[in-house]
Amino acid sequence: MNKLPITESLTAEFKSSFNKDVIETLTAFANASGGTVFIGVSDNGKPQGINIEKDTVQNWVNEIKNETEPQIIPEVETLNVGGKEIAALSIDEYPVKPVSTRGRFFKRINNLNHLLSAVEIADEHLKTINSSWDFYIDPNHTKLDLSREKIETFANKIRNNRKIGIAQLSDTELLNKMEILRYNKITFGAYLMFVKDYCLFSDVQISRIKNDGSAIASVSLNTDLFQELEEIIAFIKKHVIFNYPQTAIREIVLNMIIHRDYRESSPSVIKIFDDRIEFYNPGKLYDKTNLENLFTDDYTSKPRNKLIAKSFREIGIMHHSNSGIMRICRSCREHGIREPVFRETLNGFQVILYNERIDIYSVLNARNDAIRTTIERYQPYNAERRDVSPNDVKSAPENYLSYSVERREIASADVIKPATENYLPYNTERREERREERREIPMAEVIKPVAETINIEIGTAARNVKSDVVSDTIKLSETQETIIEEIRTNPDITSQELAQIVGITVRNIKANIAKLKERGLIDRVGARKTGYWKVIDNK
């Protein structure tokens, strides 16, 4: 049974009356995750009521059927809210996409209906049939445009990695089996991976630029995707004199190749500055992935180019299909630099990787050192450490270190384990023989040596370190920085208005506001409805 929600969302919209916009929204829901249109409700969620006569519902359903292709039929339910009669029209996600109305295609994104472009319409259809652009036959090229040597190298790697039914196949038979060739004709994916000479589709522009704008070196790559991966990374290694995590760089470049929209005419662009590397790729986030769920483990990554992704996995270049962004962020944290910025642009996606050292790491120069120092300086202390509990320890890095935007992956074990590993006789080879011994060591004996090793002063200064240090080391997410700036500009701004500006749900806006209040960066002055927001400057 439907209930009237508080605000509009990905799956809910308010309409004061039935009109063409209702049908557009239903098609947008059908092309996304389904949803409900509540008729007889104002834009701000206040029930106004609607007159529902004997044939009203049937007339609505008939009009929706006649105005959509393929035809969709919503479920209709009447509700009484505050003495007002409203109608709820619900539609499930349609299995064959996309659905249109009057020749136009819409898809629900956040709380808005997005008009699909021709490329997006094609993508929706390809996803419906579990396919992608790179599986289709390239009408402009033939096998003569492919390199035999590159195909042979690829096929031999496949044979080495797989066991059954592969060794006996010729290179051509193997490529047909993997659908890299279809009906003995080359696909777009085959052309991109094994092109003999110049490839217009795979254009990558890389440059090393000083912060004053002067270019030191640049290169333009138009070769096969496997070679581009190695040449991009080689160029970055040659021209980057700062300390970036190689794991993060390789993951970013690999994601660029796998998820790029090769139908876009613009190239991939990499700019290496003194203090950062900017990666731009044609093609926005694919399928149902958005910036909100990108930093969680609650989504399944679907590559835009399934054939290319499958081929990279088969020869061992790509081992994971999910959580690439999380690995990039984790790699940066462990390397002691700030987390990168991820943003969608007009027609693509950008990642900015900084070499800026996190303040605490620049002093201690190691993640584990930072954690153990936090425990010593931030938590209650006595000679025997009897009063430190896992919950006490857990709070330290959550408040002191910029672990991640949501702090979701931090557990007490994440804090305690580095101390155990660094201060007990322990290494990879001795895990088995030390396991039983470590189990019996009380936390007091694990944590106490920290103070003795780093020789820091314990006392009043330790209890006051929160006010002295934490404010200087708090790292805000891009969303939180935007919220602060918007509040500074308009103290009367609402959560709904912030959600529209930032592009995330009201629920996530409220969660970020709660964190900013907890950190003492903003405060609410006055009552909830009549008060205003205030930015607290501690400098």
Side-chain angles (χ1 to χ4, degrees):
M1 180 177 178
N2 281 300
K3 292 179 62 178
L4 182 64
I6 298 175
T7 62
E8 293 179 325
S9 66
L10 178 68
T11 57
E13 180 153 323
F14 304 144
K15 293 294 180 185
S16 58
S17 61
F18 182 86
N19 52 33
K20 301 294 185 183
D21 290 342
V22 171
I23 303 177
E24 285 186 0
T25 300
L26 288 172
T27 62
F29 285 149
N31 288 328
S33 303
T36 303
V37 180
F38 295 88
I39 301 176
V41 183
S42 65
D43 290 341
N44 61 7
K46 182 178 179 180
Q48 295 176 330
I50 189 172
N51 184 26
I52 303 177
E53 299 179 351
K54 180 180 179 181
D55 297 328
T56 298
V57 171
Q58 188 58 48
N59 290 336
W60 288 350
V61 171
N62 288 337
E63 186 172 349
I64 293 167
K65 286 173 58 180
N66 294 333
E67 292 285 339
T68 55
E69 179 63 35
Q71 293 181 342
I72 57 174
I73 302 175
E75 293 184 5
V76 183
E77 181 182 358
T78 57
L79 309 173
N80 189 296
V81 181
K84 305 288 187 180
E85 190 173 27
I86 66 174
L89 278 63
S90 300
I91 196 76
D92 292 330
E93 179 177 355
Y94 202 73
V96 181
K97 299 184 183 69
V99 178
S100 68
T101 176
R102 303 188 303 280
R104 305 174 78 194
F105 298 82
F106 297 87
K107 183 176 182 178
R108 192 71 169 181
I109 298 178
N110 293 327
N111 60 344
L112 298 174
N113 299 333
H114 170 67
L115 180 63
L116 297 177
S117 66
V119 170
E120 289 171 324
I121 293 170
D123 281 341
E124 291 300 320
H125 176 67
L126 289 172
K127 285 182 285 187
T128 295
I129 61 175
N130 197 28
S131 187
S132 59
W133 169 83
D134 52 340
F135 270 105
Y136 281 76
I137 293 173
D138 183 347
N140 301 313
H141 301 95
T142 69
K143 287 192 287 186
L144 296 177
D145 295 301
L146 305 185
S147 165
R148 282 189 175 184
E149 290 75 17
K150 293 177 182 179
I151 292 174
E152 183 179 355
T153 299
F154 175 83
N156 286 336
K157 289 181 180 179
I158 296 291
R159 294 186 183 98
N160 290 336
N161 290 341
R162 300 182 64 173
K163 299 179 180 179
I164 302 174
I166 296 297
Q168 305 90 329
L169 299 180
S170 67
D171 293 349
T172 299
E173 290 171 336
L174 178 58
L175 295 188
N176 273 286
K177 184 178 181 64
M178 295 183 64
E179 297 186 82
I180 296 173
L181 298 179
R182 302 187 70 179
Y183 313 108
N184 223 27
K185 295 181 180 180
I186 75 169
T187 60
F188 287 111
Y191 179 69
L192 284 165
M193 290 187 288
F194 308 119
V195 61
K196 183 186 299 182
D197 299 310
Y198 183 89
C199 178
L200 182 63
F201 294 161
S202 64
D203 185 16
V204 180
Q205 302 293 326
I206 320 175
S207 54
R208 170 70 175 96
I209 305 171
K210 299 288 288 183
N211 281 354
D212 61 8
S214 58
I216 299 175
S218 63
V219 65
S220 178
L221 301 177
N222 290 88
T223 184
D224 69 87
L225 302 187
F226 300 114
Q227 185 174 341
E228 281 195 347
L229 173 64
E230 301 308 321
E231 290 194 20
I232 291 171
I233 294 175
F235 185 94
I236 294 175
K237 285 183 177 179
K238 179 179 179 181
H239 293 281
V240 171
I241 59 175
F242 302 103
N243 195 15
Y244 292 96
Q246 298 302 311
T247 301
I249 290 176
R250 186 174 183 85
E251 189 73 39
I252 293 170
V253 175
L254 186 57
N255 273 285
M256 290 179 71
I257 291 173
I258 298 298
H259 295 290
R260 174 175 172 176
D261 190 342
Y262 291 96
R263 294 164 295 183
E264 290 282 347
S265 58
S266 57
S268 293
V269 179
I270 301 173
K271 296 180 180 179
I272 306 170
F273 295 92
D274 293 341
D275 59 348
R276 68 193 185 278
I277 307 176
E278 296 182 359
F279 303 85
Y280 167 79
N281 214 33
K284 292 187 176 183
L285 292 171
Y286 188 64
D287 197 40
K288 298 178 182 178
T289 305
N290 55 49
L291 287 172
E292 182 180 337
N293 64 26
L294 196 63
F295 299 93
T296 72
D297 291 319
D298 300 331
Y299 81 100
T300 300
S301 174
K302 293 184 179 180
R304 175 176 276 107
N305 305 294
K306 295 181 64 176
L307 177 61
I308 294 171
K310 177 183 177 183
S311 300
F312 272 64
R313 280 196 299 270
E314 289 287 353
I315 62 174
I317 293 179
M318 187 173 74
H319 302 285
H320 307 277
S321 58
N322 291 322
S323 304
I325 299 298
M326 298 294 287
R327 287 194 298 276
I328 293 169
C329 293
R330 184 163 53 249
S331 176
C332 291
R333 290 196 303 268
E334 292 174 351
H335 209 71
I337 62 174
R338 62 173 288 190
E339 292 185 6
V341 170
F342 303 88
R343 61 164 65 105
E344 283 191 311
T345 62
L346 183 61
N347 292 311
F349 190 75
Q350 185 183 44
V351 180
I352 304 177
L353 186 63
Y354 295 91
N355 63 35
E356 176 187 343
R357 305 290 294 182
I358 299 174
D359 289 343
I360 188 66
Y361 287 107
S362 64
V363 176
L364 303 174
N365 199 30
R367 173 178 177 271
N368 291 341
D369 288 343
I371 294 173
R372 77 185 183 205
T373 301
T374 301
I375 295 171
E376 294 294 323
R377 300 177 64 185
Y378 194 83
Q379 298 299 318
Y381 176 85
N382 61 35
E384 296 185 3
R385 279 296 191 227
R386 288 174 181 155
D387 56 343
V388 177
S389 69
N391 288 335
D392 292 328
V393 176
K394 178 183 175 183
S395 66
E398 288 181 346
N399 289 280
Y400 193 73
L401 298 175
S402 177
Y403 243 65
S404 69
V405 174
E406 299 295 334
R407 304 278 197 264
R408 287 176 180 153
E409 67 222 50
I410 299 179
S412 57
D414 296 322
V415 179
I416 299 169
K417 181 181 177 182
T420 307
E421 292 177 344
N422 281 282
Y423 288 95
L424 292 178
Y426 176 84
N427 56 36
T428 303
E429 292 75 14
R430 299 184 63 192
R431 282 178 183 167
E432 292 301 325
E433 71 181 73
R434 298 294 300 177
R435 183 173 297 162
E436 293 301 323
E437 180 179 346
R438 288 202 311 279
R439 283 176 184 160
E440 298 178 1
I441 298 178
M443 185 178 294
E445 295 179 25
V446 174
I447 302 177
K448 181 179 177 181
V450 176
E452 299 170 352
T453 303
I454 60 179
N455 194 27
I456 62 174
E457 188 74 17
I458 303 301
T460 304
R463 289 189 293 272
N464 294 334
V465 73
K466 180 178 180 180
S467 60
D468 296 332
V469 179
V470 173
S471 62
D472 292 332
T473 59
I474 289 177
K475 299 296 181 182
L476 300 180
S477 69
E478 188 176 356
T479 294
Q480 291 166 346
E481 290 176 350
T482 302
I483 290 173
I484 288 178
E485 289 306 313
E486 292 299 329
I487 288 175
R488 197 188 302 275
T489 304
N490 178 15
D492 297 319
I493 196 167
T494 66
S495 297
Q496 288 81 4
E497 291 170 335
L498 284 169
Q500 290 281 353
I501 293 170
V502 178
I504 62 176
T505 63
V506 173
R507 180 180 178 182
N508 276 310
I509 285 291
K510 291 181 178 179
N512 279 283
I513 285 176
K515 290 178 182 178
L516 292 172
K517 288 175 66 178
E518 182 181 348
R519 294 178 177 183
L521 299 178
I522 63 173
D523 195 14
R524 183 72 178 177
V525 180
R528 183 173 65 87
K529 292 186 177 180
T530 60
Y532 62 93
W533 289 107
K534 179 181 179 182
V535 177
I536 301 172
D537 292 314
N538 294 322
K539 294 183 179 181

